[in-house]
Amino acid sequence: MRQHPPEGTAEVLFIGNATLLIRYGELTLLTDPNFLHRGQFAHLGYGLVSRRLTEPALDVADLPHEDLDAVVLSHLHGDHFDRVARRGLDRGLPFVTTPHAARLLKGLHGFRHATGLRTWQSRTLRHGDSSVRITSLPGRHAPGPLRVLLPPVMGSLLEFGDRSGEVRLILYLSGDTLMYDGLREIAARCPDIHLAVLHLGGTTLPGGLVVTMDAGQGADLLDLLRPRRALPVHHSDYTVFRSPLEDFLTEAGRRGHGARLVRCAPGERVTVGAQATA
């Protein structure tokens, strides 16, 4: 078992795509578990597939299964929860996700402790003296009426602390959202985000439909939220990604956000605190 991160900090292991292993005190969370290998296809619905271009830094069998407290799942899409994860994760593991995904996880896949949160609903998890309040935040996976073609998505606010209720660290996971007016409420309600994890890539479906933030939209979200630090993910792993990471880094730097950006390659770890990220 790995040593706990320093008090008040979280250790974030980037596994690939939008999959993170987050450790805070005695708590361990897994996000958007995607363990397909290079060359395998993620199923996106309506017969659409996308080929994975990269290897995950960790195999599902190598996860610290005995330490996992929950999975935070932004939505039920093949590049965020795949058949490898479905076979490799314990059916008793709690999931915190959208109501749509929770129904399918329980009814179709047998994950009996899946909890669906509506926007701004929260669930608190505890392990020993460590706690995290997970709040569902606004997200929109496609523009206008076309969003009915894609599964509902949520962002997540992770507020880490202890049993006293004091919040020591705040992480934001954007989920597969586009920029839209609904995200302004996040800025109003969550003015001090220590680390924002941004799902980028400019995912483009047939017909040119863009369904995740590209470089410009990612920089727009930094303009809006102004987190202390930002970690870009979900940008290089699948053939449907059309907006390279370098484009985002360039645009974010041009707008004065260079000091906020955290670079973390798959397999690397960063330690996140309220004051610094290393």
Side-chain angles (χ1 to χ4, degrees), residues 5-6 23 71 84 89 127 143 156 192 204 206 214 227 248:
R23 294 166 52 85
V71 173
V84 178
L89 295 174
H127 189 151
S156 299
D192 192 15
T204 304
D214 59 13
F248 168 73

Side-chain angles (χ1 to χ4, degrees), residues 24-252:
Y24 178 93
E26 297 172 81
L27 280 163
T28 303
L29 303 178
L30 180 68
T31 73
D32 289 339
N34 179 211
F35 293 96
L36 293 174
H37 291 281
R38 182 187 296 115
Q40 293 184 304
F41 288 88
H43 296 277
L44 305 179
Y46 304 100
L48 298 176
V49 297
S50 182
R51 180 169 53 86
R52 185 156 192 172
L53 302 172
T54 62
E55 283 289 330
L58 203 67
D59 190 79
V60 68
D62 298 323
L63 289 171
H65 292 273
E66 68 282 359
D67 293 339
L68 287 179
D69 292 289
V71 173
V72 180
L73 178 63
S74 64
H75 65 305
L76 203 58
H77 235 172
D79 63 327
H80 292 259
F81 182 71
D82 58 49
R83 55 194 177 276
V84 178
R86 188 171 66 244
R87 291 193 298 262
L89 295 174
D90 188 279
R91 292 301 192 276
L93 183 62
F95 277 67
V96 181
T97 186
T98 65
H100 167 268
R103 287 193 298 271
L104 291 175
L105 285 168
K106 287 192 289 189
L108 187 61
H109 302 307
F111 288 91
R112 54 189 180 275
H113 297 304
T115 298
L117 299 180
R118 297 189 301 274
T119 304
W120 297 111
Q121 280 192 322
S122 299
R123 182 183 177 188
T124 298
L125 303 174
R126 295 183 175 88
H127 189 151
D129 290 329
S130 305
S131 70
V132 61
R133 181 167 64 238
I134 304 169
T135 302
S136 172
L137 299 184
R140 181 172 291 179
H141 205 345
L146 293 175
R147 62 181 180 268
V148 301
L149 300 176
L150 297 177
V153 66
M154 72 178 195
S156 299
L157 193 72
L158 310 180
E159 296 174 282
F160 293 99
D162 55 33
R163 286 188 174 273
S164 72
E166 179 186 4
V167 175
R168 303 284 300 277
L169 184 67
I170 301 173
L171 273 61
Y172 164 60
L173 312 175
S174 74
D176 279 14
T177 189
L178 298 170
M179 276 297 295
Y180 77 110
D181 282 346
L183 301 185
R184 296 186 182 281
E185 192 172 1
I186 300 175
R189 294 198 191 196
C190 313
D192 192 15
I193 294 169
H194 299 131
L195 178 70
V197 179
L198 306 182
H199 292 202
L200 301 172
T203 305
T204 304
L205 300 182
L209 178 65
V210 178
V211 296
T212 64
M213 293 183 290
D214 59 13
Q217 290 194 48
D220 289 343
L221 189 55
L222 290 182
D223 289 343
L224 176 65
L225 298 181
R226 307 193 73 81
R228 298 191 194 183
R229 296 290 186 270
L231 172 63
V233 301
H234 194 271
H235 48 65
S236 306
D237 297 272
Y238 284 92
T239 54
V240 288
F241 295 162
R242 302 295 172 82
S243 182
L245 173 62
E246 289 303 322
D247 288 0
F248 168 73
L249 298 177
T250 298
E251 180 62 18

Side-chain angles (χ1 to χ4, degrees), residues 262-276:
V262 178
R263 298 295 301 270
C264 185
E268 293 182 348
R269 292 178 170 86
V270 294
T271 299
V272 184
Q275 302 304 321

